[in-house]
Amino acid sequence: MELEFLGTGAGVPAKHRNVTSIALKLLDERNAVWLFDCGEGTQMQILRTNIRPRKIEKIFITHLHGDHIFGLPGLISSRSFQGGDEPLEIYGPAGIKQFVLNALKISQTRLAYSLKFIEVKPGVIFYDDQFTVTCDLLDHGIDSYGYRVSEHDHDGQLQVDKLVALGIKPGPIFGQLKKGETVTLPDGRTVSGKDFVGAAKTGRTVTILGDTRISDTSIALAKTSDVLVHESTFNKNEAKMARNYYHSTTHQAAEVAKRAQVKRLILTHISARYLAQDALNLEKEAQEIFPNTKIAKDFDIVDIPFQNEIKE
C-alpha cells in the first residue's frame, strides 16, 4: 500500500506543483490503483510514473472545484485508448455524473469500458472483503468530502516452511492447520495449527480529506488513521484568511492530526506562493503541534507498512 502524490498544488497549476491528485496504489492488495481527485494535467503527471491508467479501478472526487476535476474527462478518454477495458467506478458529490457525461457527449468520446457513478452521501460508500470506504461532509462552502479507506485485518500466515521441515506435506491438512485446528498425522503425531500460524496483522487506514476548514468532522473521520492527508493552503498566521476562503492553515491541519491521534500527517494543496524554503517552513509550522508531519511534493511516494513491519 502506497500513496503517490501526482499533484500537490492549490487552485492553479504551477511549474513546481500541479493541481490536486493522489494515487492510492494497492498493487499487492488487489492489483489496482485508486485515484483521489483528478485536477488538470493529471494524466500528464501519470506519464512520469509507473502507474498504468488501466489499473485505475476507482476514482474518488472530494468536491467539484475545477482544480480537483478538470483532468477527469481526459484521463477517462485516455484510459480507453491505453488498453483499459475494465469498468471504472467514479465516486463524488452530486453533479459529478453530469459533469463527466456532458464532457464525453459533447466531445463525442466513446469508451471501451463502462462507467459507474456513485454520488456519495455521508456513511459507508464501498465495502468488500478487503476494504471499507466511508466518507463525510467537510466545511468548504461547497459540498466537499473526506474519504477514510480502512483495510480489514489480515489473518496470520501459515508457516509452511516449519511444517515442511517436520515432514508434513502440503494438502488439505494445511487448510485445517490454517484454521487453528489440532490435527493427528498418519504417523500418530498431533500438531496444533495455533503453533504454525503467524501473528495477525491489523489493517491499515488512510484518510484523505478534500478542501476544508478545521472541523470536528475531519477529526472524527481521521481517528487513529495510519496516514492523514490534509490540505494546508495557508500558513499559521493566516487563520482569518483561511476561514474566509474555507481552507486550513498548517497549525489547523496539525491540530486535526493531534486530536485524531493519527500516526502520520501529510500536508498537500500548497499555494504556489510558497516556494522552496517557504514550503519547508509550512512543514516546520505543523511540526510545532504534530511532529510526524511531512509536506508532500509532486511524485512523492509514501509507503504505508503494517505496524509490526515498522522499523524503529
Side-chain angles (χ1 to χ4, degrees):
M1 182 185 287
E2 293 179 332
L3 286 170
E4 185 160 7
F5 288 82
L6 302 172
T8 58
V12 296
K15 289 182 179 180
H16 60 293
R17 292 185 187 275
N18 197 51
V19 285
T20 301
S21 186
I22 304 168
L24 178 60
K25 297 162 71 175
L26 303 171
L27 300 176
D28 288 342
E29 292 76 12
R30 58 197 294 137
N31 195 30
V33 175
W34 293 0
L35 203 63
F36 290 79
D37 286 332
C38 190
E40 177 185 351
T42 292
Q43 66 171 316
M44 294 297 295
Q45 298 289 89
I46 287 175
L47 290 176
R48 297 174 61 184
T49 73
N50 62 6
I51 295 171
R52 299 291 174 261
R54 60 185 173 81
K55 295 286 188 182
I56 299 172
E57 69 170 9
K58 300 181 190 299
I59 300 177
F60 298 85
I61 299 298
T62 61
H63 63 292
L64 301 185
H65 280 156
D67 57 327
H68 295 254
I69 65 169
F70 282 167
L72 196 50
L75 177 62
I76 290 171
S77 176
S78 294
R79 183 180 185 266
S80 188
F81 285 112
Q82 294 168 351
D85 55 11
E86 294 295 319
L88 175 65
E89 295 182 348
I90 300 176
Y91 298 74
I96 188 62
K97 179 177 181 180
Q98 180 182 356
F99 168 74
V100 171
L101 293 184
N102 282 350
L104 297 179
K105 180 180 179 181
I106 292 170
S107 62
Q108 298 186 26
T109 300
R110 296 180 181 274
L111 302 180
Y113 59 89
S114 62
L115 291 176
K116 179 180 179 181
F117 294 92
I118 300 92
E119 295 193 333
V120 301
K121 294 182 179 179
V124 175
I125 58 171
F126 173 77
Y127 178 90
D128 69 3
D129 60 354
Q130 288 182 299
F131 291 94
T132 299
V133 182
T134 56
C135 72
D136 209 345
L137 270 172
L138 306 175
D139 184 5
H140 190 50
I142 183 178
D143 281 359
S144 180
Y145 283 89
Y147 294 99
R148 178 184 177 95
V149 180
S150 300
E151 181 185 31
H152 301 169
D153 293 345
H154 291 243
D155 293 334
Q157 294 294 311
L158 186 66
Q159 297 170 334
V160 174
D161 291 347
K162 289 184 178 181
L163 293 170
V164 172
L166 291 175
I168 303 173
K169 297 180 179 180
I173 189 173
F174 276 28
Q176 294 174 274
L177 293 171
K178 181 70 167 63
K179 296 176 183 177
E181 297 176 6
T182 298
V183 177
T184 300
L185 303 176
D187 61 11
R189 288 181 294 165
T190 299
V191 293
S192 171
K194 294 178 181 178
D195 296 330
F196 296 94
V197 176
K201 294 180 179 180
T202 301
R204 296 156 290 184
T205 298
V206 179
T207 300
I208 299 172
L209 303 184
D211 295 359
T212 184
R213 293 169 171 169
I214 186 171
S215 72
D216 290 339
T217 299
S218 300
I219 296 164
L221 194 64
K223 200 71 175 176
T224 66
S225 294
D226 292 274
V227 176
L228 167 63
V229 180
H230 198 298
E231 67 129 291
S232 182
T233 312
F234 294 97
N235 70 36
K236 67 179 182 180
N237 299 315
E238 297 174 322
K240 183 175 180 180
M241 191 179 298
R243 178 162 184 81
N244 289 342
Y245 287 95
Y246 291 89
H247 283 290
S248 293
T249 68
T250 54
H251 273 191
Q252 289 169 344
E255 185 65 28
V256 171
K258 181 180 179 180
R259 291 170 62 186
Q261 300 177 302
V262 306
K263 296 179 178 66
R264 282 190 286 174
L265 170 63
I266 311 295
L267 301 179
T268 188
H269 203 265
I270 309 302
S271 171
R273 296 176 297 149
Y274 301 113
L275 301 172
Q277 187 58 47
D278 288 337
L280 290 177
N281 287 339
L282 296 179
E283 182 177 88
K284 292 176 181 177
E285 288 178 8
Q287 289 171 346
E288 293 169 359
I289 293 174
F290 191 80
N292 197 8
T293 298
K294 176 183 177 182
I295 189 167
K297 305 185 298 296
D298 286 14
F299 306 112
D300 276 355
I301 296 176
V302 176
D303 182 46
I304 309 169
F306 291 102
Q307 285 304 298
N308 60 358
E309 295 176 343
I310 295 176
K311 297 180 180 179
E312 298 296 338

